[in-house]
Amino acid sequence: MSTTNNPTADADAQNASAALAGAVQQSENASNVTDSIHAHGHEHHWLQKLVPGIEKIVVKTHTGNFIAVRDKSKPPGSEKIFESMPIYARLGMHLLFYGKGEVRLLESSHKVENLLKEQSVKQGAIYDSPSSAKSIPSFVETYKLDLSELLEPDPSKYATFNEFFYRKLKDGARPVENNSPEAFCSAADCRLTVFESVSDAQKFWIKGDEFTLKNLLYGKTAAAPEVSFPLDEAELAIFRLAPADYHRFHSPIDGTIVGEPTNIDGTYYTVNPQAVNEANFDVFTANKRSVIYIKHDLTGQIVAFVAIGALLVGAIGWTAKPGTQVKKGEELGYFAYGGSTVITVFPKNFIKFDEDLVVNSKNTLETLVKVGWSLGTKV
């Protein structure tokens, strides 16, 4: 359908844009997060007043995803939970995929990319302001967060919402399940998929046709970093962090950080599976990201660790310094506000992923895991 002869689709996209901007603006004033970007289900009644007819847009999008609960005593994927998608992610999905090819907003002017970046930066600034601390109690209640595991369990002690968002845990809150030098662990509290090759990842999960290791690690214009990584084939673990998750990420291996981080500029698309699974659309190689390399103590081989920003993510921060040794489960860095993703890239024939993770991933099902849980062992 022509982009110039479909005013209804164009108006629909403009409404979705106004709704996303309105939701972000609402978060500056609303003390209850379900009255702004974290509205679920029919909680977005305030948005209907802001943008009449927005409910017609929202119902076109999927409302969430099923995720496997990990229980090694049961068959993989036999127990699942449904994770609802908050309103900002649903609007982001609508802008990207519903009416794609029909809407002028998606043409070469990059209006969508600019809009998502603009609102992501704005959301980060809102949640960095002292007034944002008022939203912490409702965020805790909405996502039923366990405060007892936090280093600072009192929400009133956090100066800003973002300070709470990248909260620290008590020592021992995330023990490493297997301390053997040949074992590897989850890098984040997340929804996890694993793939024994890039081609498997592209077959079952990452459908964008421009996804390559070179694009992921170096970007399309960035010069190659000082650390080289084989670009012909690799094994991937993809850790997707939802807004409710503890948002610090950790080393999956014992090793030494080599060189400085490689920062690659990009946009702020949602990293929801429905975006990652979209053909001809490359979330991971389009989004803002930062890459470090870790030299594995046992083998001397290099593992790439990619922190990827997403819709409404304000920043990626590294706390581990170049040249330092890290143990499995030790903190590497954090994300400021938003859902986000870490990808670890292992050399070919390096890791044997746990079987339940492989089975779920091939069934296009993420697995709910926490930092320190078993990821696999050395081949």
Side-chain angles (χ1 to χ4, degrees), residues 78-153:
S78 58
E79 183 181 352
K80 296 188 283 286
I81 59 172
F82 184 77
E83 179 180 80
S84 180
M85 193 188 300
I87 191 68
Y88 76 85
R90 295 171 70 182
L91 290 168
M93 289 288 294
H94 180 86
L95 281 168
L96 292 174
F97 304 123
Y98 293 88
K100 188 172 64 172
E102 301 176 9
V103 184
R104 285 194 292 275
L105 204 63
L106 287 172
E107 292 183 311
S108 59
S109 60
H110 300 296
K111 286 186 177 180
V112 166
E113 289 88 343
N114 292 339
L115 171 73
L116 298 180
K117 184 172 185 177
E118 174 188 285
Q119 295 306 315
S120 296
V121 171
K122 183 176 181 179
Q123 188 67 68
I126 288 172
Y127 277 164
D128 273 336
S129 82
S131 65
S132 66
K134 67 182 181 298
S135 296
I136 296 173
S138 66
F139 186 78
V140 172
E141 175 60 27
T142 297
Y143 290 105
K144 309 301 180 190
L145 302 184
D146 180 6
L147 298 178
S148 67
E149 66 181 10
L150 303 189
L151 184 62
E152 175 49 76

Side-chain angles (χ1 to χ4, degrees), residues 41-317:
H42 298 291
E43 296 169 347
H44 48 269
H45 52 83
W46 56 270
L47 194 54
Q48 295 174 21
K49 296 179 181 178
L50 178 68
V51 184
I54 192 63
E55 66 277 4
K56 295 179 182 178
I57 294 175
V58 173
V59 296
K60 291 180 183 178
T61 63
H62 295 290
T63 58
N65 314 286
F66 280 101
I67 301 161
V69 176
R70 195 173 199 190
D71 185 342
K72 294 182 181 180
S73 69
K74 299 178 181 178
S78 58
E79 183 181 352
K80 296 188 283 286
I81 59 172
F82 184 77
E83 179 180 80
S84 180
M85 193 188 300
I87 191 68
Y88 76 85
R90 295 171 70 182
L91 290 168
M93 289 288 294
H94 180 86
L95 281 168
L96 292 174
F97 304 123
Y98 293 88
K100 188 172 64 172
E102 301 176 9
V103 184
R104 285 194 292 275
L105 204 63
L106 287 172
E107 292 183 311
S108 59
S109 60
H110 300 296
K111 286 186 177 180
V112 166
E113 289 88 343
N114 292 339
L115 171 73
L116 298 180
K117 184 172 185 177
E118 174 188 285
Q119 295 306 315
S120 296
V121 171
K122 183 176 181 179
Q123 188 67 68
I126 288 172
Y127 277 164
D128 273 336
S129 82
S131 65
S132 66
K134 67 182 181 298
S135 296
I136 296 173
S138 66
F139 186 78
V140 172
E141 175 60 27
T142 297
Y143 290 105
K144 309 301 180 190
L145 302 184
D146 180 6
L147 298 178
S148 67
E149 66 181 10
L150 303 189
L151 184 62
E152 175 49 76
D154 183 353
S156 69
K157 297 292 180 64
Y158 294 88
T160 68
F161 185 94
N162 247 340
E163 191 175 293
F164 178 79
F165 187 74
Y166 48 76
R167 57 201 176 272
K168 291 189 174 184
L169 303 181
K170 292 177 180 176
D171 288 342
R174 293 290 184 273
V176 173
E177 190 174 344
N178 186 347
N179 277 307
S180 165
E182 296 192 347
F184 308 106
C185 74
S186 172
D189 285 12
C190 66
R191 297 94 181 93
L192 172 64
T193 49
V194 301
F195 300 98
E196 296 163 315
S197 67
V198 173
S199 56
D200 272 358
Q202 291 171 314
K203 178 180 179 181
F204 296 107
W205 198 252
I206 306 171
K207 299 300 175 65
D209 58 0
E210 292 186 19
F211 181 86
T212 65
L213 291 181
K214 181 178 180 181
N215 285 346
L216 177 69
L217 300 179
Y218 302 160
K220 296 179 180 178
T221 58
E226 56 187 286
V227 180
S228 62
F229 190 92
L231 298 176
D232 54 343
E233 192 51 276
E235 301 168 312
L236 305 177
I238 303 172
F239 308 85
R240 180 177 68 88
L241 288 71
D245 286 323
Y246 160 70
H247 259 65
R248 290 178 181 263
F249 42 81
H250 298 245
S251 179
I253 65 173
D254 297 330
T256 302
I257 298 173
V258 182
E260 297 284 341
T262 301
N263 298 314
I264 303 171
D265 196 20
T267 189
Y268 295 77
Y269 296 136
T270 174
V271 292
N272 189 275
Q274 292 160 28
V276 177
N277 300 158
E278 179 75 12
N280 305 315
F281 187 78
D282 299 280
V283 173
F284 295 141
T285 58
N287 277 17
K288 169 185 176 180
R289 57 203 182 277
S290 187
V291 186
I292 65 167
Y293 297 87
I294 308 173
K295 185 177 182 180
H296 186 222
D297 282 347
L298 185 64
T299 65
Q301 291 185 275
I302 298 295
V303 171
F305 191 101
V306 187
I308 303 173
L311 181 59
L312 301 193
V313 172
I316 300 166

